[in-house]
Amino acid sequence: MLLAADVGNTNVVFALFEADGEGGYVCPPRARWRIATDPRRTGDEYAVWLLQLLTIEGVSRDNITQIVYASVVPRADHNLTVLAQKYFGITPLKAGEGKAAWQFEIDVDQPSSLGADRALNILAAHQKYGGDIIAIDFGTATKFEAIDFNGTYKGGSIAPGINLSLDALVGKTAKLPRIAIRSPESTSVIGRNTEDQMLIGVFWGYVAMMEGIVARMKKEIGRPTKVVATGGLAILFDEATDIFDIVDADLTIEGLAILAQQASE
């Protein structure tokens, strides 16, 4: 089995993949678990939590034969390596380095600045769906990636995540209340009270931003293009817009499984 970990700014997602008997791994993952990102969390703390979850899943640590992780939080890297080596006896692969280096062309001005999470979305979107693709990842930030039919990364854009936008709105004003992000009950953009007006402004404003960026990206690409969405809020926004062709909640973590297979070839 493969143990994969995606370290984001907000959460670390662990996933367990079973081998497919042909050198790769079965997707979607057998299990996935989420824990808040904390760079101070030690390898021992990860182990106490993770080994209990493996036991609940009926999996022995001896079943884990490969570990791969991606990280946009450098301070967390050492502790994940300790977890892998001390508790599983495995030296982990780090996405983007060594045997797990990216095997697709990165056609931008600063290729080394591409975050591992974004690279995994690019890799997985091309491998799974082919053709020209716009991949959108709803995380702490919302990332838009342009991938051509050869799998080459052509560039993209980064916008504040909707929760960041809401935090800024509430944090910089004295009287506006904190609200939860949800789909408004009505499609009207004329709210009758302060909370509804905030929700309309944040939610429908974000939908308009997405639709506008996707339309402009498609115009620049100039060929039929699929839009693949991932991240926690993708399903929520899918109910409010028709710009997504595919919603794939496991895109990033499955990118790690694809990368692990490539590293073993």
Side-chain angles (χ1 to χ4, degrees):
M1 289 184 175
L2 168 71
L3 180 65
D6 174 29
V7 184
N9 289 298
T10 304
N11 292 302
V12 182
V13 177
F14 286 87
L16 189 65
F17 292 88
E18 296 181 317
D20 63 6
E22 299 178 358
Y25 296 96
V26 176
C27 293
R30 169 171 169 170
R32 62 184 71 73
W33 307 287
R34 186 179 300 267
I35 191 170
T37 301
D38 183 349
R40 299 169 301 175
R41 199 184 311 276
T42 67
D44 298 327
E45 289 175 306
Y46 277 123
V48 169
W49 174 78
L50 185 59
L51 292 176
Q52 290 186 57
L53 291 171
L54 287 172
T55 299
I56 292 171
E57 187 65 27
V59 174
S60 165
R61 74 175 78 180
D62 295 332
N63 295 132
I64 309 298
T65 57
Q66 189 175 28
I67 297 175
V68 61
Y69 76 92
S71 174
V72 297
V73 184
R75 288 176 56 201
D77 293 6
H78 172 72
N79 294 325
L80 284 172
T81 300
V82 170
L83 167 70
Q85 293 179 337
K86 182 176 180 179
Y87 290 94
F88 295 92
I90 295 171
T91 298
L93 296 169
K94 181 179 179 181
E97 296 184 2
K99 292 181 179 180
W102 309 120
Q103 296 184 28
F104 58 87
E105 185 178 354
I106 304 174
D107 183 19
V108 295
D109 293 340
Q110 297 177 314
S112 62
S113 68
L114 179 64
D117 55 342
R118 303 176 71 188
L120 290 170
N121 289 335
I122 293 162
L123 172 64
H126 174 68
Q127 290 285 333
K128 294 182 70 175
Y129 303 112
D132 287 280
I133 294 172
I134 297 170
I136 310 174
D137 186 356
F138 296 96
T140 306
T142 299
K143 287 87 68 176
F144 298 79
E145 320 296 358
I147 310 149
D148 76 7
F149 54 89
N150 291 315
T152 300
Y153 175 55
K154 305 299 291 186
S157 59
I158 304 173
I162 192 168
N163 284 304
L164 281 181
S165 300
L166 181 59
D167 287 344
L169 178 64
V170 174
K172 297 298 183 181
T173 55
K175 297 182 69 176
L176 293 182
R178 178 162 296 280
I179 61 172
I181 293 298
R182 57 179 175 80
S183 179
E185 295 178 2
S186 168
T187 57
S188 172
V189 293
I190 302 176
R192 301 285 291 172
N193 58 69
T194 299
E195 291 191 11
D196 284 351
Q197 291 164 1
M198 290 175 64
L199 183 59
I200 287 167
V202 173
F203 185 87
W204 290 116
Y206 213 79
V207 170
M209 180 274 290
M210 291 187 301
E211 291 175 340
I213 288 182
V214 167
R216 287 172 177 266
M217 290 179 73
K218 283 186 171 183
K219 184 176 180 180
E220 285 191 45
I221 293 167
R223 296 182 297 271
T225 304
K226 292 188 285 288
V227 178
V228 180
T230 192
L233 292 173
I235 294 176
L236 176 65
F237 287 124
D238 190 37
E239 299 173 353
T241 182
D242 59 1
I243 62 171
F244 305 149
D245 296 297
I246 301 159
V247 175
D248 186 339
D250 291 319
L251 190 69
T252 311
I253 205 75
E254 288 184 6
L256 279 167
I258 294 169
L259 189 66
Q261 178 181 349
Q262 290 180 348
S264 300
E265 293 175 349

